[in-house]
Amino acid sequence: MLPYSERRLRLADAMRAQGGGVAIAFTAPERPRNRDSEYPYRWDSYFYYLTGFPEPEAALVVIAEAGRTESILFCREKNPERETWDGFRYGPEAASERFGFERSLPFGSLDEELPRLLADRPALWYALGADDALDARLQRWLGSVRAQARTGVTAPARAFDLYAVLDEMRLFKDTHELATMRRAAQISAAAHVRAMRVTRAGCREYEIEAELLHEFRRNGSQFPAYGSIVAGGANACVLHYRGNDARLADGDLLLIDAGCELDGYASDITRTFPVNGRFGAAQRTLYELVLEAQRAAVDATQPGARFAAPHDAAVRVLAQGMIDCGLLQGTLDGVIESGAYRRFYMHRTSHWMGMDVHDCGEYREPGEPAAGEAGRPWRILHPGMVLTIEPGIYVRAADDVPQAFHDIGIRIEDDALVTDTGCEILTLDAPKRPEDIEALMRG
Ligand code: GLY
Ligand code: MN
Ligand code: MN
């Protein structure tokens, strides 16, 4: 069975557990870039998760009744003229056959069909409040069901957030997803290796970005999973650096945060290495510290641990290191308690990753807080969850900071799959030990 069909059945089971009803999911619209050019098309992650259907102008309806599930796709009709200009369209008939829908109907018939499909269903699942246009459309469809009340037809009496159900499903990656994510991670790791090989003093950051994109695309990746950060020297201290146009200086570090998207799945890797192939003494001190923090965070990434465990482990190592090298004064507990370490490490260590680089999924345990708890505790890690582990240190020049560390920004980021016994690092092919990086750059 296609993974998408299997996911629709699981969604229907979740709907039946609430008494059944109808779910509606739209894909993303095409978006204009300027005049008559559009951004490269990227479907909606939730819709694609349930369908595998790649075309714009499409919607999925899932009907879950006792003992019966029906999936109906609405999609563009075949159109030889448009296909001559824009390329192949499945059309309803081929779509059903290829993607396993019970029925497929023309996208243009939505307004006619939906009132019928909504009639006499106890509940509705959709992206509550996510899109004004969809909300307005639903209002019209529900209005037209209610207008038939005198004929004995009823409209859904309850609405549920479709995303809440799908977020939970997407948090646990299935075999099909993991195979794609492993491959995406390998491609991205190869791109980082390529970047290390070609980097030389005097290059522009965008020349290195071009090497990354080349490696992504030549391996079949459709897009970068997010805007690549290629940040030399002090630029690495700008967390969301976007310029990518400065010249790389001999003696500086280069921080690259870049990952490809493959068949809808992200990867997310950061490596930091010396432009001239040799870490300087102060750079090496801070680099070893971040690497040690990452090791501690990886060790803490285990089934049964809380989502915050890798972050807490990384912070302890980083904070101690900051004290040891004179960036901070005080005791370990003191600088953690006061948050003083945040001056040099201001982001968290992990986020979920999947179809979206910052993937969906609750970071806190679902449900009500236990009695006496101030809030919901951090999520417990389970096999099948994928998260990043990305500690860093960012030292801006300042009078009260030892000069040797000025303008050094370092992050080391890998993607980890929680397994039965610990975690599997999906991005190991990108070297991160200083001696491995230096050997690669020498070679
Ligand atoms: N590249 C985005 C992140 O690391 O979260
Ligand atoms: Mn990340
Ligand atoms: Mn990243």
Side-chain angles (χ1 to χ4, degrees):
M1 184 188 287
L2 287 169
Y4 315 103
S5 311
E6 194 266 335
R7 293 172 200 154
R8 293 196 294 271
L9 293 179
R10 277 165 53 211
L11 166 64
D13 284 342
M15 292 163 67
R16 270 188 288 274
Q18 303 285 341
V22 55
I24 305 173
F26 275 75
T27 196
E30 291 176 292
R31 296 182 207 276
R33 183 173 182 277
N34 60 323
R35 208 166 167 90
D36 59 354
S37 297
E38 273 143 10
Y39 283 104
Y41 182 67
R42 207 292 194 159
W43 24 257
D44 175 77
S45 296
Y46 293 97
F47 172 85
Y48 192 82
Y49 180 75
L50 292 172
T51 62
F53 190 72
E55 294 178 21
E57 295 190 287
L60 171 72
V61 172
V62 175
I63 295 168
E65 296 174 332
R68 188 182 86 98
T69 302
E70 186 182 13
S71 297
I72 306 166
L73 179 80
F74 288 84
C75 67
R76 300 183 303 192
E77 294 189 87
K78 294 292 287 176
N79 181 333
E81 155 97 23
R82 286 314 323 160
E83 290 180 60
T84 301
W85 288 89
D86 302 329
F88 175 79
R89 300 175 172 196
Y90 279 96
E93 203 175 315
S96 282
E97 200 156 304
R98 167 71 183 76
F99 298 93
F101 304 109
E102 277 73 32
R103 276 199 285 162
S104 294
L105 298 167
F107 191 69
S109 68
L110 262 176
D111 289 333
E112 186 188 326
E113 295 291 338
L114 257 289
R116 267 205 285 278
L117 292 169
L118 287 165
D120 292 328
R121 308 284 174 204
L124 168 65
W125 277 259
Y126 82 106
L128 286 173
D131 179 350
D132 289 346
L134 172 60
D135 287 351
R137 229 166 159 177
L138 258 175
Q139 238 176 50
R140 285 201 302 278
W141 295 335
L142 290 169
S144 102
V145 182
R146 290 189 190 111
Q148 303 165 48
R150 268 179 292 167
T151 66
V153 173
T154 58
R158 293 184 302 157
F160 292 95
D161 184 7
L162 176 64
Y163 285 175
V165 183
L166 296 178
D167 285 352
E168 198 56 24
M169 287 170 62
R170 284 176 52 187
L171 186 51
F172 297 85
K173 273 64 183 175
D174 60 33
T175 0
H176 175 266
E177 297 183 284
L178 288 175
T180 310
M181 291 181 78
R182 284 197 178 92
R183 178 77 190 123
Q186 275 170 1
I187 295 171
S188 296
H192 280 262
V193 168
R194 186 185 183 101
M196 288 174 192
R197 287 214 166 100
V198 302
T199 294
R200 296 282 178 274
C203 287
R204 294 273 189 175
E205 291 164 344
Y206 53 68
E207 294 178 61
I208 311 302
E209 181 184 12
E211 298 288 340
L212 297 161
L213 297 178
H214 178 84
E215 194 66 25
F216 291 170
R217 194 69 185 116
R218 82 185 195 93
N219 283 294
S221 149
Q222 294 83 359
F223 310 101
Y226 52 90
S228 309
I229 297 172
V230 182
N235 294 337
C237 296
V238 179
L239 294 175
H240 293 160
Y241 178 67
R242 289 279 179 270
N244 291 9
D245 56 0
R247 224 175 256 296
L248 298 176
D250 197 345
D252 276 352
L253 292 178
L254 175 60
L255 180 154
I256 297 181
D257 184 347
C260 72
E261 178 177 302
L262 178 72
D263 300 339
Y265 285 85
S267 52
D268 185 3
I269 304 183
T270 308
R271 290 293 183 263
T272 311
F273 55 92
V275 166
N276 65 13
R278 301 259 328 151
F279 284 92
Q283 293 169 345
R284 199 176 181 107
T285 300
L286 295 189
Y287 188 90
E288 299 272 13
L289 174 59
V290 176
L291 193 57
E292 191 192 334
Q294 208 217 22
R295 257 185 234 120
V298 169
D299 287 347
T301 304
Q302 300 189 4
R306 298 261 174 210
F307 173 78
H311 179 66
D312 294 343
V315 163
R316 282 197 84 72
V317 173
L318 288 171
Q320 183 61 58
M322 290 172 197
I323 295 168
D324 294 345
C325 68
L327 287 170
L328 291 179
Q329 279 73 48
T331 63
L332 175 59
D333 289 338
V335 303
I336 291 177
E337 184 108 340
S338 68
Y341 69 87
R342 290 201 194 102
R343 177 172 178 195
F344 306 110
Y345 181 45
M346 56 298 275
H347 60 78
R348 292 195 63 88
T349 304
S350 302
H351 53 80
W352 304 130
M353 202 191 66
M355 300 187 88
D356 301 317
V357 64
H358 296 163
D359 210 26
C360 58
E362 287 252 28
Y363 285 97
R364 303 271 175 179
E365 281 298 310
E368 295 300 312
E373 297 260 7
R376 293 185 292 145
W378 290 106
R379 190 88 199 221
I380 292 175
L381 299 178
H382 293 281
M385 293 173 164
V386 176
L387 64 159
T388 61
I389 305 179
E390 49 179 305
I393 195 162
Y394 314 91
V395 187
R396 288 169 173 276
D399 290 344
D400 59 342
V401 167
Q403 195 173 357
F405 299 127
H406 282 192
D407 293 331
I408 296 181
I410 296 167
R411 180 163 62 255
I412 304 174
E413 174 174 31
D414 284 294
D415 305 338
L417 161 68
V418 181
T419 62
D420 290 332
T421 53
C423 67
E424 172 190 335
I425 302 298
L426 306 178
T427 41
L428 276 183
D429 294 349
K432 59 187 170 185
R433 292 192 315 166
E435 52 276 30
D436 294 340
I437 291 175
E438 288 180 349
L440 178 84
M441 293 184 76
R442 266 198 310 274

